[in-house]
Amino acid sequence: MTFAQAVTDRTRRLDTRLCVGLDPRLEAYRDLDHLRAHTLDVLEATAPYAACIKPQLAFYEAAGLPGLAVLQEVCAAARTLGLPVLLDGKRGDIGSTAQAYAQGWLGGDHAGSALTVNPFLGFETLTPFVETARAHGGAVFVLVKTSNPGQADLQGHGVSERVADEVTRLNAQEDGEYASVGAVVGATHPQDLAAFRARLPRALLLLPGLGAQGAGAAGLAPAFDAGGTGALASASRGVQYARGLEVAASVAAAQGFRDELNRALA
């Protein structure tokens, strides 16, 4: 299955729209072995409540080459559990550099099935990412309207809408229920979700900001299609560090977010 098919299948089979973010912070652990063990424990324990996982590359890169080895192990464990992997790297560049990023993060043992990408160097810079994702049955999630307050500096005034229209144009080249080009639209903008859902009819929407960034599940229903598919709400700190390093608390948080999202769609 493609990434879009796998995520949609898990949503329907397990009745979950939750994307569990894995953002292991070095300062929270005794050492890298402790970070590795806890992150893998959280991954395995929360898997039944997740439609996919989203490792944030920065936290693995911060630990150098050993951190990237942990990332590779996290991706392998997720695949064993049947969990699609969406890497949050927000990569974007021109020409051969974009191609190298695409090759590195959308193909190979350490790569995910999907990657967040930054379109603000121009739409042509998306081409290597989209082509590589399609070749591997993966996906890219293009930044459209991010969850941080400062996004308004560049993403207002119709810019987000222009990016959304480019995503829709790219997806028109594909068949199937959901295409390989998704869109990042922050859960912190519930008032905008209906408009973006209508503007992005065949895109999976990634909705970051659930939990620690202050977004709640109650306002997210407009991002979903009939039947509760088409979007993934992401929680990271609110799951991995729900109560310190208690894995049981991470499980309870993941289950709670899943249930809140389901109630919002009821």
Side-chain angles (χ1 to χ4, degrees):
M1 290 190 286
T2 66
F3 177 88
Q5 290 168 336
V7 164
T8 303
D9 175 68
R10 282 186 71 88
T11 293
R12 289 178 171 138
R13 283 191 298 107
L14 302 182
D15 198 21
T16 181
R17 293 116 187 109
L18 178 65
C19 171
V20 172
L22 294 173
D23 299 1
R25 297 160 186 263
L26 280 169
E27 64 271 16
Y29 302 98
R30 295 186 300 273
D31 52 32
L32 192 64
D33 286 340
H34 188 202
L35 178 153
R36 170 192 169 277
H38 178 255
T39 302
L40 289 170
D41 285 347
V42 171
L43 166 62
E44 183 173 4
T46 61
Y49 308 104
C52 70
I53 64 157
K54 184 175 71 64
Q56 167 53 259
L57 294 183
F59 294 98
Y60 301 87
E61 291 171 343
L65 291 177
L68 293 177
V70 173
L71 174 65
Q72 184 167 327
E73 193 168 355
V74 166
C75 292
R79 286 191 286 267
T80 299
L81 292 165
L83 270 170
V85 179
L86 195 176
L87 295 178
D88 194 353
K90 301 178 180 68
R91 294 302 195 259
D93 215 311
I94 62 172
S96 59
T97 310
Q99 182 61 57
Y101 276 135
Q103 180 181 348
W105 294 118
L106 287 166
D109 291 341
H110 61 284
S113 301
L115 176 71
T116 58
V117 296
N118 187 335
F120 291 102
L121 275 74
F123 291 153
E124 78 279 2
T125 65
L126 296 176
T127 300
F129 294 102
V130 173
E131 290 179 348
T132 304
R134 286 173 176 164
H136 288 84
V140 295
F141 284 80
V142 180
L143 304 184
V144 171
K145 191 173 181 67
T146 55
S147 57
N148 57 305
Q151 57 80 31
D153 294 343
L154 295 175
Q155 296 171 28
H157 313 294
V159 173
S160 293
E161 288 74 13
R162 285 183 61 196
V163 178
D165 290 346
E166 177 64 11
V167 170
T168 296
R169 187 191 72 80
L170 290 167
N171 282 339
Q173 302 168 18
E174 299 181 33
D175 298 322
E177 184 177 13
Y178 296 106
S180 63
V181 188
V184 178
V185 180
T188 50
H189 310 294
Q191 72 281 0
D192 298 323
L193 295 179
F196 282 114
R197 178 71 280 166
R199 206 169 195 122
L200 294 153
R202 298 187 55 246
L204 289 175
L205 303 185
L206 176 63
L207 314 173
L210 191 63
Q213 290 189 56
L220 303 186
F224 292 85
D225 289 322
T229 60
L232 299 161
S234 176
S236 301
R237 283 172 287 169
V239 172
Q240 187 162 5
Y241 303 112
R243 189 165 61 241
L245 300 181
E246 295 182 23
V247 175
S250 296
V251 173
Q255 183 176 6
F257 283 129
R258 181 205 62 180
D259 293 347
E260 289 173 15
L261 287 163
N262 290 351
R263 283 194 294 270
L265 292 170

Tab-separated table of all heavy atoms in Angstrom, residues 146-176:
chain	number	residue	atom	x	y	z
A	146	THR	N	1.222	26.719	9.007
A	146	THR	CA	1.806	25.997	10.131
A	146	THR	C	1.185	26.430	11.457
A	146	THR	O	0.443	27.410	11.531
A	146	THR	CB	3.332	26.178	10.146
A	146	THR	OG1	3.650	27.576	10.148
A	146	THR	CG2	3.950	25.534	8.911
A	147	SER	N	1.512	25.675	12.506
A	147	SER	CA	0.817	25.837	13.782
A	147	SER	C	1.335	26.963	14.653
A	147	SER	O	0.679	27.372	15.603
A	147	SER	CB	0.877	24.517	14.577
A	147	SER	OG	2.221	24.126	14.775
A	148	ASN	N	2.528	27.485	14.343
A	148	ASN	CA	3.151	28.500	15.204
A	148	ASN	C	2.554	29.878	14.972
A	148	ASN	O	2.158	30.219	13.844
A	148	ASN	CB	4.653	28.557	14.934
A	148	ASN	CG	4.963	28.856	13.474
A	148	ASN	OD1	4.492	28.144	12.585
A	148	ASN	ND2	5.735	29.899	13.212
A	149	PRO	N	2.477	30.725	16.009
A	149	PRO	CA	1.898	32.065	15.841
A	149	PRO	C	2.613	32.907	14.792
A	149	PRO	O	1.984	33.674	14.056
A	149	PRO	CB	2.031	32.683	17.232
A	149	PRO	CG	2.076	31.516	18.167
A	149	PRO	CD	2.798	30.442	17.417
A	150	GLY	N	3.931	32.762	14.667
A	150	GLY	CA	4.690	33.573	13.735
A	150	GLY	C	4.449	33.249	12.273
A	150	GLY	O	4.953	33.975	11.390
A	151	GLN	N	3.684	32.194	11.976
A	151	GLN	CA	3.413	31.851	10.581
A	151	GLN	C	2.761	33.000	9.818
A	151	GLN	O	2.929	33.122	8.597
A	151	GLN	CB	2.536	30.590	10.498
A	151	GLN	CG	1.207	30.662	11.229
A	151	GLN	CD	0.117	31.402	10.499
A	151	GLN	OE1	0.069	31.415	9.277
A	151	GLN	NE2	-0.769	32.052	11.249
A	152	ALA	N	2.053	33.868	10.525
A	152	ALA	CA	1.342	34.964	9.864
A	152	ALA	C	2.295	35.941	9.174
A	152	ALA	O	1.885	36.680	8.277
A	152	ALA	CB	0.478	35.707	10.876
A	153	ASP	N	3.570	35.957	9.552
A	153	ASP	CA	4.535	36.852	8.915
A	153	ASP	C	4.644	36.591	7.409
A	153	ASP	O	4.825	37.518	6.625
A	153	ASP	CB	5.919	36.683	9.540
A	153	ASP	CG	5.977	37.131	10.996
A	153	ASP	OD1	5.068	37.864	11.423
A	153	ASP	OD2	6.928	36.731	11.694
A	154	LEU	N	4.566	35.307	7.017
A	154	LEU	CA	4.754	34.943	5.617
A	154	LEU	C	3.581	34.189	5.010
A	154	LEU	O	3.421	34.174	3.794
A	154	LEU	CB	6.014	34.071	5.465
A	154	LEU	CG	7.348	34.726	5.797
A	154	LEU	CD1	8.467	33.707	5.707
A	154	LEU	CD2	7.627	35.884	4.847
A	155	GLN	N	2.759	33.553	5.845
A	155	GLN	CA	1.753	32.649	5.307
A	155	GLN	C	0.370	33.284	5.167
A	155	GLN	O	-0.544	32.645	4.671
A	155	GLN	CB	1.676	31.397	6.184
A	155	GLN	CG	2.961	30.598	6.165
A	155	GLN	CD	3.005	29.476	7.177
A	155	GLN	OE1	1.981	28.934	7.566
A	155	GLN	NE2	4.197	29.129	7.634
A	156	GLY	N	0.214	34.506	5.588
A	156	GLY	CA	-1.072	35.168	5.418
A	156	GLY	C	-1.209	35.777	4.033
A	156	GLY	O	-0.420	35.525	3.123
A	157	HIS	N	-2.241	36.578	3.872
A	157	HIS	CA	-2.432	37.371	2.654
A	157	HIS	C	-2.530	36.511	1.393
A	157	HIS	O	-2.025	36.883	0.331
A	157	HIS	CB	-1.296	38.398	2.501
A	157	HIS	CG	-1.004	39.168	3.758
A	157	HIS	ND1	-1.912	40.053	4.320
A	157	HIS	CD2	0.075	39.158	4.585
A	157	HIS	CE1	-1.400	40.572	5.419
A	157	HIS	NE2	-0.198	40.032	5.612
A	158	GLY	N	-3.144	35.357	1.519
A	158	GLY	CA	-3.379	34.512	0.357
A	158	GLY	C	-2.245	33.573	-0.005
A	158	GLY	O	-2.396	32.750	-0.921
A	159	VAL	N	-1.106	33.666	0.677
A	159	VAL	CA	0.027	32.799	0.340
A	159	VAL	C	-0.313	31.337	0.604
A	159	VAL	O	-0.047	30.451	-0.223
A	159	VAL	CB	1.286	33.221	1.113
A	159	VAL	CG1	2.421	32.221	0.898
A	159	VAL	CG2	1.726	34.616	0.687
A	160	SER	N	-0.903	31.047	1.755
A	160	SER	CA	-1.263	29.668	2.074
A	160	SER	C	-2.230	29.095	1.049
A	160	SER	O	-2.138	27.914	0.678
A	160	SER	CB	-1.877	29.605	3.475
A	160	SER	OG	-0.914	29.926	4.460
A	161	GLU	N	-3.141	29.927	0.586
A	161	GLU	CA	-4.105	29.469	-0.412
A	161	GLU	C	-3.409	29.137	-1.734
A	161	GLU	O	-3.770	28.163	-2.404
A	161	GLU	CB	-5.184	30.527	-0.613
A	161	GLU	CG	-6.157	30.666	0.552
A	161	GLU	CD	-5.567	31.375	1.776
A	161	GLU	OE1	-4.476	31.993	1.640
A	161	GLU	OE2	-6.186	31.319	2.853
A	162	ARG	N	-2.402	29.922	-2.112
A	162	ARG	CA	-1.650	29.628	-3.340
A	162	ARG	C	-0.914	28.295	-3.210
A	162	ARG	O	-0.877	27.502	-4.159
A	162	ARG	CB	-0.642	30.744	-3.622
A	162	ARG	CG	-1.240	32.034	-4.154
A	162	ARG	CD	-0.144	33.037	-4.463
A	162	ARG	NE	0.773	32.540	-5.483
A	162	ARG	CZ	1.973	33.066	-5.726
A	162	ARG	NH1	2.414	34.094	-5.016
A	162	ARG	NH2	2.747	32.555	-6.683
A	163	VAL	N	-0.336	28.063	-2.050
A	163	VAL	CA	0.356	26.780	-1.841
A	163	VAL	C	-0.644	25.631	-1.884
A	163	VAL	O	-0.384	24.583	-2.500
A	163	VAL	CB	1.136	26.795	-0.516
A	163	VAL	CG1	1.804	25.442	-0.292
A	163	VAL	CG2	2.176	27.907	-0.502
A	164	ALA	N	-1.792	25.808	-1.252
A	164	ALA	CA	-2.814	24.762	-1.264
A	164	ALA	C	-3.258	24.444	-2.689
A	164	ALA	O	-3.455	23.274	-3.051
A	164	ALA	CB	-4.012	25.199	-0.418
A	165	ASP	N	-3.399	25.460	-3.506
A	165	ASP	CA	-3.824	25.230	-4.893
A	165	ASP	C	-2.764	24.451	-5.674
A	165	ASP	O	-3.095	23.652	-6.555
A	165	ASP	CB	-4.122	26.566	-5.576
A	165	ASP	CG	-5.382	27.229	-5.046
A	165	ASP	OD1	-6.166	26.544	-4.351
A	165	ASP	OD2	-5.570	28.433	-5.299
A	166	GLU	N	-1.471	24.678	-5.363
A	166	GLU	CA	-0.418	23.908	-6.015
A	166	GLU	C	-0.476	22.444	-5.581
A	166	GLU	O	-0.285	21.536	-6.398
A	166	GLU	CB	0.953	24.499	-5.694
A	166	GLU	CG	2.129	23.731	-6.254
A	166	GLU	CD	2.189	23.682	-7.769
A	166	GLU	OE1	1.428	24.425	-8.433
A	166	GLU	OE2	3.003	22.908	-8.308
A	167	VAL	N	-0.757	22.194	-4.321
A	167	VAL	CA	-0.925	20.812	-3.851
A	167	VAL	C	-2.059	20.135	-4.607
A	167	VAL	O	-1.923	18.988	-5.071
A	167	VAL	CB	-1.179	20.792	-2.333
A	167	VAL	CG1	-1.595	19.393	-1.872
A	167	VAL	CG2	0.047	21.262	-1.573
A	168	THR	N	-3.166	20.829	-4.759
A	168	THR	CA	-4.309	20.266	-5.482
A	168	THR	C	-3.956	20.001	-6.939
A	168	THR	O	-4.350	18.969	-7.513
A	168	THR	CB	-5.509	21.212	-5.368
A	168	THR	OG1	-5.897	21.301	-3.990
A	168	THR	CG2	-6.695	20.712	-6.174
A	169	ARG	N	-3.200	20.895	-7.558
A	169	ARG	CA	-2.784	20.683	-8.942
A	169	ARG	C	-1.914	19.432	-9.060
A	169	ARG	O	-2.093	18.620	-9.983
A	169	ARG	CB	-2.007	21.908	-9.448
A	169	ARG	CG	-1.670	21.847	-10.937
A	169	ARG	CD	-0.679	22.930	-11.335
A	169	ARG	NE	0.663	22.662	-10.828
A	169	ARG	CZ	1.522	21.821	-11.392
A	169	ARG	NH1	1.186	21.115	-12.460
A	169	ARG	NH2	2.736	21.650	-10.874
A	170	LEU	N	-0.970	19.255	-8.139
A	170	LEU	CA	-0.111	18.075	-8.173
A	170	LEU	C	-0.914	16.794	-7.980
A	170	LEU	O	-0.660	15.781	-8.639
A	170	LEU	CB	0.971	18.196	-7.092
A	170	LEU	CG	2.052	19.252	-7.339
A	170	LEU	CD1	2.865	19.484	-6.064
A	170	LEU	CD2	2.967	18.833	-8.492
A	171	ASN	N	-1.886	16.833	-7.105
A	171	ASN	CA	-2.668	15.633	-6.825
A	171	ASN	C	-3.605	15.259	-7.967
A	171	ASN	O	-4.016	14.099	-8.085
A	171	ASN	CB	-3.464	15.815	-5.531
A	171	ASN	CG	-2.597	15.638	-4.305
A	171	ASN	OD1	-1.536	15.018	-4.366
A	171	ASN	ND2	-3.033	16.184	-3.183
A	172	ALA	N	-3.928	16.227	-8.832
A	172	ALA	CA	-4.790	15.931	-9.975
A	172	ALA	C	-4.133	14.970	-10.951
A	172	ALA	O	-4.809	14.363	-11.800
A	172	ALA	CB	-5.178	17.229	-10.681
A	173	GLN	N	-2.826	14.791	-10.831
A	173	GLN	CA	-2.092	13.891	-11.722
A	173	GLN	C	-2.202	12.425	-11.284
A	173	GLN	O	-1.690	11.545	-11.978
A	173	GLN	CB	-0.615	14.303	-11.751
A	173	GLN	CG	-0.380	15.743	-12.190
A	173	GLN	CD	1.049	16.200	-11.932
A	173	GLN	OE1	1.954	15.394	-11.733
A	173	GLN	NE2	1.265	17.505	-11.926
A	174	GLU	N	-2.838	12.165	-10.156
A	174	GLU	CA	-2.898	10.812	-9.607
A	174	GLU	C	-4.335	10.319	-9.498
A	174	GLU	O	-5.283	11.109	-9.460
A	174	GLU	CB	-2.272	10.797	-8.205
A	174	GLU	CG	-0.817	11.208	-8.167
A	174	GLU	CD	-0.257	11.141	-6.761
A	174	GLU	OE1	-0.688	10.266	-5.982
A	174	GLU	OE2	0.607	11.972	-6.433
A	175	ASP	N	-4.467	9.002	-9.408
A	175	ASP	CA	-5.748	8.371	-9.137
A	175	ASP	C	-5.809	7.992	-7.656
A	175	ASP	O	-4.833	8.138	-6.919
A	175	ASP	CB	-5.922	7.115	-9.999
A	175	ASP	CG	-5.926	7.443	-11.485
A	175	ASP	OD1	-6.488	8.485	-11.859
A	175	ASP	OD2	-5.360	6.637	-12.262
A	176	GLY	N	-6.932	7.462	-7.241
A	176	GLY	CA	-7.072	6.972	-5.878
A	176	GLY	C	-7.802	7.942	-4.973
A	176	GLY	O	-8.052	9.105	-5.317
